[in-house]
Amino acid sequence: MKKNINHLIKVSLFFSIVLLFFTCGAIRYAINLHQCNVQALIVKDSGDFLLTDTYDSDNSSFGDFLNSPSASAIMLNTYDKLCNNPNIEYYELGFQLLCYIGKFTGCSSFVSPPEPTLINQSVNGEYITPLMSIQIDQGFLLDNKPSFQPSIGQGFIDTDFSLTHSQMIPVLLGDSYNELYKIGDSFIGYYASGNPASFCVKGFLKDDAEIVVDSEKIILDNYIIMPTLNLDPDISATDNAILLSLKCEGFIHYSSREQFFLSVEELEQIKNETGFAYSIPGSQLENNNFLHLALPTSILLFIASVVFYFAMLICLYRKVLISSIGRQHSLIMQCVILFANLLIYYLSGFAINYIVFYQKRNLLIDSLNISVILLLLGTGLIFYGMFKRRQHNHE
């Protein structure tokens, strides 16, 4: 009977440590998610967030991804899911520079960054000037139509959004370009390709026309506005891959906090299905709360598991060690045996959590190992003092 009780105590102690690990992980995740959500809630009830990737690191780059055989297929699949997901309002909106070819007669306010030395740089025998430009899709145009209503000339029409790099691309110019160009003028430049593209001035925007993107107000006076382009069979596969990458990293618009979180969930699913390494907003830790516990529930379970843990230790102390004082094993040996048992339970709990939180091991290594080891060492020191005092009283 006594052997069965001791065995039950050890099993209970083991599961209490496992529960301790689970709740530590849940608390760590819930706290970080709560902090991320608080940051997300700083954004107003409606807004946008930029899609970014995690390819650039110490060991890899986005260029490495683009050069991989599967890159184009992954990005095509990703772009298709972004555009056709009913729960995501995706803007194919970009701020890629348009590199003007030839003598540019404007000032540095049109250049990004606004440095005079960037105007008319000599590159391979031709003059290059990086001008600020914005690429918009039809959805963004419709939702911001007053901002793109020209004061002179015509605005974009449906067919302008079905063009490729090899065709004449219509552009709207900010009001500050009025002194440099007129309706019908054309120029050439590089955009997301090693091949020059041709652009034609279709209209001029109103003075101080503006858009708001990701809570930032952008005055369009010094910008070139162009429609987003489709993939072009007449340019290289590399150039099409670059264009695809731009099409996959626009903005997601949301009109409420609920829609924000729904969009984030959908984006997480797209990431998992396509393999495109998006950086998911509101989830800085790329970990999942396996138990799906809220922060208050996690804290309550943590407190309960700690209480249960110490209760089992006290039972083990009373049933196993106290009854063995005066036997063939010394007190120190009994403490070593106890600590060895605790270490086995600890490693077993860690192994189970490692399996459950697979690919989330940093969560355990960074936040749990040291704290739990200190907990076990502290427990061992306390019990050693209790053993020594009881042994002294026994003698």
Side-chain angles (χ1 to χ4, degrees):
M1 180 68 180
K2 183 177 180 181
K3 183 177 180 181
N4 292 335
I5 292 176
N6 291 338
H7 180 69
L8 178 62
I9 291 173
K10 291 183 179 181
V11 172
S12 300
L13 179 60
F14 165 71
F15 281 109
S16 69
I17 294 179
V18 172
L19 182 60
L20 185 66
F21 268 92
F22 273 118
T23 51
C24 282
I27 288 175
R28 163 77 183 269
Y29 173 81
I31 289 175
N32 280 277
L33 183 60
H34 175 72
Q35 291 173 345
C36 293
N37 289 346
V38 169
Q39 293 173 0
L41 293 178
I42 295 175
V43 180
K44 296 180 180 179
D45 288 339
S46 63
D48 319 277
F49 62 86
L50 173 66
L51 298 185
T52 59
D53 62 73
T54 60
Y55 286 106
D56 289 318
S57 65
D58 294 337
N59 300 319
S60 64
S61 68
F62 191 73
D64 295 333
F65 166 70
L66 285 181
N67 292 327
S68 65
S70 59
S72 293
I74 289 174
M75 290 187 291
L76 275 172
N77 191 16
T78 300
Y79 178 67
D80 179 68
K81 290 182 180 297
L82 283 173
C83 295
N84 295 299
N85 190 311
N87 296 318
I88 289 181
E89 188 174 354
Y90 180 62
Y91 290 149
E92 190 183 329
L93 177 67
F95 293 85
Q96 178 74 15
L97 295 175
L98 193 161
C99 292
Y100 182 91
I101 301 175
K103 276 283 189 177
F104 183 70
T105 57
C107 63
S108 61
S109 61
F110 299 100
V111 179
S112 180
E115 293 289 339
T117 56
L118 295 179
I119 299 176
N120 296 322
Q121 305 171 74
S122 181
V123 179
N124 296 328
E126 58 187 8
Y127 292 111
I128 300 293
T129 304
L131 301 179
M132 295 187 295
S133 71
I134 300 177
Q135 303 81 46
I136 63 172
D137 64 7
Q138 203 162 8
F140 188 78
L141 173 66
L142 293 175
D143 289 345
N144 297 270
K145 203 164 187 177
S147 300
F148 298 107
Q149 190 67 39
S151 60
I152 304 173
Q154 298 179 340
F156 293 134
I157 58 176
D158 292 350
T159 54
D160 292 335
F161 295 93
S162 60
L163 301 177
T164 66
H165 184 276
S166 302
Q167 297 173 283
M168 179 67 74
I169 303 167
V171 295
L172 298 176
L173 302 182
D175 182 71
S176 298
Y177 276 98
N178 247 316
E179 300 176 357
L180 304 178
Y181 294 99
K182 62 181 183 294
I183 302 296
D185 283 351
S186 62
F187 59 91
I188 58 174
Y190 293 112
Y191 169 73
S193 171
N195 298 321
S198 299
F199 302 89
C200 179
V201 178
K202 190 171 187 177
F204 292 89
L205 301 180
K206 301 173 184 177
D207 183 25
D208 290 335
E210 64 181 41
I211 57 175
V212 177
V213 180
D214 196 15
S215 301
E216 180 183 354
K217 182 185 294 186
I218 301 173
I219 305 298
L220 301 177
D221 288 348
N222 299 324
Y223 280 87
I224 298 172
I225 312 300
M226 57 180 286
T228 53
L229 301 180
N230 295 304
L231 298 182
D232 191 342
D234 294 330
I235 63 177
S236 69
T238 301
D239 288 337
N240 270 321
I242 294 173
L243 180 59
L244 259 178
S245 69
L246 298 176
K247 297 171 84 67
C248 289
E249 296 197 343
F251 288 80
I252 288 182
H253 178 74
Y254 58 94
S255 56
S256 66
R257 288 189 173 96
E258 290 75 16
Q259 188 179 1
F260 170 85
F261 290 112
L262 178 59
S263 298
V264 168
E265 290 177 3
E266 296 293 336
L267 186 62
E268 180 75 53
Q269 184 174 349
I270 290 174
K271 173 184 176 179
N272 293 334
E273 290 177 353
T274 66
F276 191 83
Y278 276 125
S279 176
I280 306 297
S283 182
Q284 295 169 351
L285 294 175
E286 298 296 333
N287 300 308
N288 291 318
N289 180 352
F290 177 77
L291 300 178
H292 302 288
L293 300 177
L295 181 59
T297 306
S298 297
I299 293 176
L300 288 176
L301 280 177
F302 175 75
I303 294 173
S305 65
V306 170
V307 171
F308 189 49
Y309 170 76
F310 280 104
M312 292 302 102
L313 285 179
I314 291 172
C315 289
L316 187 64
Y317 163 73
R318 289 180 175 176
K319 295 292 184 180
V320 179
L321 293 179
I322 299 304
S323 61
S324 65
I325 290 179
R327 297 182 183 178
Q328 68 272 21
H329 297 299
S330 67
L331 175 61
I332 295 179
M333 182 59 68
Q334 293 293 338
C335 290
V336 169
I337 294 173
L338 173 64
F339 186 78
N341 276 277
L342 294 180
L343 187 60
I344 291 172
Y345 300 147
Y346 163 71
L347 293 175
S348 301
F350 175 77
I352 289 179
N353 280 270
Y354 186 91
I355 295 172
V356 172
F357 289 95
Y358 181 65
Q359 292 184 340
K360 288 90 178 173
R361 48 191 175 276
N362 289 337
L363 178 68
L364 296 172
I365 294 172
D366 294 341
S367 64
L368 299 183
N369 285 1
I370 295 178
S371 61
V372 174
I373 288 175
L374 291 176
L375 174 65
L376 294 179
L377 288 176
T379 302
L381 291 174
I382 292 172
F383 281 176
Y384 178 77
M386 294 173 63
F387 295 155
K388 190 169 184 179
R389 180 178 177 182
R390 184 174 287 272
Q391 186 185 44
H392 177 75
N393 293 338
H394 178 75
E395 293 174 352

